[in-house]
Amino acid sequence: AQTVTQSQPEMSVQEAETVTLSCTYDTSESDYYLFWYKQPPSRQMILVIRQEAYKQQNATENRFSVNFQKAAKSFSLKISDSQLGDAAMYFCAYRIMDSNYQLIWGAGTKLIIKP
Amino acid sequence: KAGVTQTPRYLIKTRGQQVTLSCSPISGHRSVSWYQQTPGQGLQFLFEYFSETQRNKGNFPGRFSGRQFSNSRSEMNVSTLELGDSALYLCASSPAAGTGNTIYFGEGSWLTVV
């Protein structure tokens, strides 16, 4: 079965510090894409970062970076220099490369930023 | 460029009624997908449309249906509403076929069934 697991329902971090959100997934596919989405109180899903499974290099977007371990099926998100605006639900998701284009989602991690 | 637009943003319906939600994708995007988000079930895929054709459907009863028009705008319909249909319905669009394309989401339509 295709599943995504986010083992941390809630995380908190002091402003300006670094936090890592974990995500593991289960698939037998070799080609897929991985995503982290952020959902602030407005509830709009905002793409944070994406990773192509065939790429060994970890993706980075400004203060956001991932640690992609394909063999371990792990895809963690690191947020550096945390800001108050980073407070949100963070969802890990993946999409496999076949005719089914749906995203498979994790349950989400609520990130709290302490000022 | 305008983002994904969903209407209405909030609505309250009575059990047994039906509801239609609308989604206008980003200009040029031809793929539209719908997701249901509830506290208990999380995010679940409803269906995806591309060029007016439903390509994929999630595990939802037949009361949930959708369509896509020639301008890529999409609607989803839920008939015979049940209390459990109360949820945030998210629409998303992407440029074309292919799993590598990033999906962009609208702000959602909050449906409350009473």
Side-chain angles (χ1 to χ4, degrees):
Chain A
Q2 301 159 13
T3 59
V4 177
T5 302
Q6 294 180 248
S7 59
Q8 307 149 317
E10 185 174 298
M11 292 281 286
S12 63
V13 63
Q14 206 71 37
E15 191 177 5
E17 296 194 340
T18 296
V19 63
T20 298
L21 309 183
S22 66
C23 172
T24 58
Y25 56 94
D26 186 19
T27 180
S28 57
E29 301 292 328
S30 59
D31 292 324
Y32 48 88
Y33 292 83
L34 294 159
F35 304 88
W36 277 99
Y37 279 90
K38 166 185 175 180
Q39 189 178 41
S42 69
R43 305 309 293 268
Q44 181 171 17
M45 284 288 186
I46 301 167
L47 176 68
V48 175
I49 199 166
R50 60 174 265 174
Q51 172 82 41
E52 291 84 350
Y54 62 85
K55 288 186 178 179
Q56 292 186 331
Q57 186 173 5
N58 289 325
T60 62
E61 285 289 339
N62 301 313
R63 298 182 295 108
F64 299 87
S65 62
V66 299
N67 183 5
F68 174 48
Q69 303 288 329
K70 190 172 184 179
K73 297 180 182 175
S74 171
F75 183 59
S76 61
L77 174 69
K78 186 172 85 170
I79 306 173
S80 304
D81 186 26
S82 299
Q83 300 175 2
L84 294 177
D86 295 334
M89 283 291 291
Y90 285 81
F91 292 91
C92 176
Y94 86 96
R95 226 178 170 189
I96 57 176
M97 295 184 71
D98 68 0
S99 62
N100 185 352
Y101 294 106
Q102 71 180 74
L103 280 166
I104 309 296
W105 297 88
T109 296
K110 182 178 181 180
L111 179 63
I112 298 168
I113 310 294
K114 298 177 182 177
Chain B
K1 190 186 257 191
V4 179
T5 304
Q6 292 188 243
T7 56
R9 291 292 317 282
Y10 304 92
L11 66 167
I12 300 174
K13 290 287 187 178
T14 303
R15 193 170 49 181
Q17 287 186 316
Q18 74 164 11
V19 66
T20 299
L21 308 178
S22 179
C23 172
S24 293
I26 293 172
S27 177
H29 287 195
R30 295 170 62 193
S31 172
V32 174
S33 50
W34 290 88
Y35 293 81
Q36 182 196 63
Q37 186 176 23
T38 60
Q41 298 296 319
L43 280 148
Q44 292 187 290
F45 171 75
L46 280 157
F47 26 65
E48 188 220 1
Y49 288 87
F50 183 81
S51 292
E52 302 179 64
T53 301
Q54 185 184 89
R55 289 196 301 189
N56 297 283
K57 191 177 193 302
N59 188 25
F60 279 81
R63 301 185 297 107
F64 291 81
S65 63
R67 59 178 175 169
Q68 186 181 33
F69 302 95
S70 58
N71 61 359
S72 294
R73 190 177 71 84
S74 177
E75 289 181 347
M76 69 162 281
N77 184 275
V78 187
S79 63
T80 319
L81 284 166
E82 300 177 358
L83 297 179
D85 298 333
S86 295
L88 176 67
Y89 290 88
L90 290 166
C91 172
S93 74
S94 61
T99 57
N101 292 297
T102 299
I103 301 175
Y104 298 89
F105 286 83
E107 293 183 300
S109 291
W110 278 101
L111 170 65
T112 301
V113 182
V114 298

